[in-house]
Amino acid sequence: MPTDPSFPPLPAAPAVPPPTGVAALSLRYQIAAALALAVVAVAACVHLGMVFLHVAPSNTVTKQHGRAIDEWVYPEFEQNWKLFAPNPLQQNIAVQVRAEVRLVNGSSRETGWYDLSALDGAAIDGNLLPSHTQQNELRRAWDFYVATHDNENRPAALRGALSEEYLRRIVVQRLDREEAGGKGAVVERVQVRSRTTNVPSPKWSEEKVSDRPVLRELPWWAVPRDDRSEARTAARTATGTGARTATRTVARTEASAR
């Protein structure tokens, strides 16, 4: 049919844009992507459900499946609500240790105080993926001890002896890693203390807090042979001597801090 030159030509059909995203994949890959998204969604729902049950009041589900919930949450997803409490934690607590060591020549001497919390802090500083051990092992061990002992360091619960053993093994391992007393020295006794300082109030606050540190010293503990053997084994898997020397220089407090 001839066209009339007095009428303008019809516009061309718009070009169909090529598919993008998942639609651009073949059917096989679309199915694989959908399955992967479904797995991620299910895992997210399970995780949120586990965390909710962990922080929720005791109920029928938590009573029947409490162990499974704890195994899912601890230690990576532990919830600490002190940040949101009406009176959040406003103290810096450093765990320190000193030791009585037997030197290679048979004599004994007492070391200075090692600030283990500062060592952990130095290892975490600048580390994009710090380990759970560096962040929480020492802190949890100290919290465990404090929760099971009174102010006179007397065990207030059946788990008191367990908390002492747990804390002692950790500090012996750390001392062996730091080569307390020099190479070849044997740790025979340890003493742990906490050094608590208040976080200064902001400039706009009228609250006055003491900046004087408060010390809590525990009694001396004898170190069993098994603890020393485990400490040596753990120290062999620790970081290199150069990294230990760097953090030791930053974090060690000598006799002047007694």
Side-chain angles (χ1 to χ4, degrees):
M1 179 178 181
T3 58
D4 189 344
S6 62
F7 291 95
L10 295 175
V16 178
T20 59
V22 177
L25 302 175
S26 65
L27 179 60
R28 181 175 61 180
Y29 287 107
Q30 288 182 8
I31 295 175
L35 290 175
L37 291 174
V39 170
V40 172
V42 170
C45 291
V46 171
H47 175 68
L48 291 175
M50 288 292 193
V51 173
F52 171 78
L53 291 172
H54 174 67
V55 300
S58 179
N59 54 69
T60 303
V61 177
T62 55
K63 289 178 180 178
Q64 293 181 353
H65 306 286
R67 184 172 182 178
I69 295 171
D70 289 342
E71 288 178 353
W72 180 279
V73 171
Y74 292 110
E76 287 82 5
F77 307 117
E78 177 189 3
Q79 303 297 303
N80 186 340
W81 300 109
K82 291 181 179 179
L83 177 64
F84 305 101
N87 186 23
L89 187 64
Q90 300 179 19
Q91 296 174 325
N92 290 320
I93 302 175
V95 179
Q96 303 172 343
V97 63
R98 63 179 175 180
E100 183 180 289
V101 299
R102 185 177 71 252
L103 306 179
V104 292
N105 60 7
S107 62
S108 298
R109 81 174 183 90
E110 186 179 295
T111 70
W113 289 99
Y114 287 82
D115 194 331
L116 303 183
S117 297
L119 286 169
D120 284 347
I124 294 171
D125 188 23
N127 188 348
L128 297 178
L129 296 172
S131 69
H132 171 72
T133 300
Q134 292 169 332
Q135 297 180 81
N136 296 317
E137 181 186 55
L138 183 64
R139 177 184 62 83
R140 291 292 306 277
W142 180 253
D143 288 345
F144 185 22
Y145 178 88
V146 171
T148 55
H149 289 74
D150 60 18
N151 292 332
E152 301 299 325
N153 298 316
R154 294 173 300 199
L158 297 176
R159 301 170 68 193
L162 178 62
S163 68
E164 291 181 13
E165 180 180 357
Y166 182 51
L167 181 60
R168 186 187 68 238
R169 289 190 175 190
I170 289 175
V171 299
V172 171
Q173 176 183 326
R174 302 290 182 89
L175 287 171
D176 197 80
R177 186 186 306 169
E178 298 302 315
E179 296 181 353
K183 191 172 184 179
V186 177
V187 177
E188 295 188 321
R189 296 199 306 160
V190 294
Q191 185 181 32
V192 182
R193 76 176 182 184
S194 66
R195 188 174 188 271
T196 304
T197 53
N198 292 318
V199 176
S201 301
K203 295 180 179 180
W204 48 262
S205 174
E206 297 181 356
E207 181 182 7
K208 303 297 182 181
V209 296
S210 173
D211 59 355
R212 185 175 182 179
V214 177
L215 301 178
R216 176 178 176 175
E217 290 191 357
L218 309 188
W220 283 91
W221 292 334
V223 178
R225 181 177 299 177
D226 291 345
D227 287 4
R228 290 196 290 266
S229 299
E230 291 181 6
R232 293 192 190 99
T233 302
R236 294 191 188 101
T237 62
T239 56
T241 304
R244 291 202 309 269
T245 303
T247 54
R248 187 186 305 132
T249 302
V250 173
R252 184 176 176 182
T253 57
E254 291 294 345
S256 59
R258 296 179 185 177

